[in-house]
Structure formats: structure tokens, C-alpha cells
Amino acid sequence: MAIWNPIKSVNVPLTEEQLKGLLKRYDKNGDGRLSRKELREAFRSLGLNFSWWRAWRALRHADENGDGYISEEEMKELVKYATKKWGFTV
């Protein structure tokens, strides 16, 4: 038996702050930084295909100090990159 759902799916673009908040949820160890693994999990949960590759690309783009993590200071660049490249919507 099918259930009728009057609510239609609507795609609404995420703001930079909303995307930043979503990404921060994946800081599993609470160190204030996102590792490549944490980025991969975040991108996968957001429905992106090839999340491992996207995490690698995002890290290469936004990791300004080259330490292998996205810090709070680097988060803005990550969000700008991800928004521009992949145009997140909910």
C-alpha cells in the first residue's frame, strides 16, 4: 500500500555557513580539524559520488599550510571550493 506524501522534494542551495556547519559535524575526534577520512565521510553523507577523490581534491585545494588537515582558518576556502565545484543543495 503506497502512502501519499503531499510534501514535494525541493532543492534549496546551502549557504556557506550551513555547509560549514555540516562539515564540522564530521570532526569525529574533536580536534577542530578535518582529516581526509573525515572529509570523505562528510562528502559521502552529502551524496557525492567518488567521495574519496573529492576529499583528496578539496584537501589539496584548501590545505594552505600543507599539514594534511583542514583547520578552522582553512574552512572558508574549503567551503568556497566545494560550493563552487559541486553546488550543494538540500
Side-chain angles (χ1 to χ4, degrees), residues 21-86:
L22 284 172
L23 292 171
K24 283 183 174 185
R25 290 183 190 174
Y26 289 88
D27 177 14
K28 299 297 182 186
N29 62 2
D31 66 355
R33 307 178 305 170
L34 291 172
S35 67
R36 184 171 20 172
K37 181 180 178 184
E38 290 167 335
L39 281 173
R40 185 176 63 236
E41 290 172 10
F43 291 158
R44 185 180 306 133
S45 77
L46 290 168
L48 293 175
N49 293 326
F50 306 107
S51 59
W52 58 271
W53 180 79
R54 291 176 192 264
W56 177 78
R57 293 283 300 165
L59 196 60
R60 284 186 44 111
H61 180 81
D63 181 17
E64 295 171 359
N65 64 6
D67 67 353
Y69 295 91
I70 300 298
S71 66
E72 181 66 34
E73 296 79 28
E74 296 164 331
M75 183 67 72
K76 183 175 177 95
E77 188 59 34
L78 171 66
V79 168
K80 282 186 355 184
Y81 176 77
T83 303
K84 179 181 173 186
K85 289 290 187 183
W86 306 314

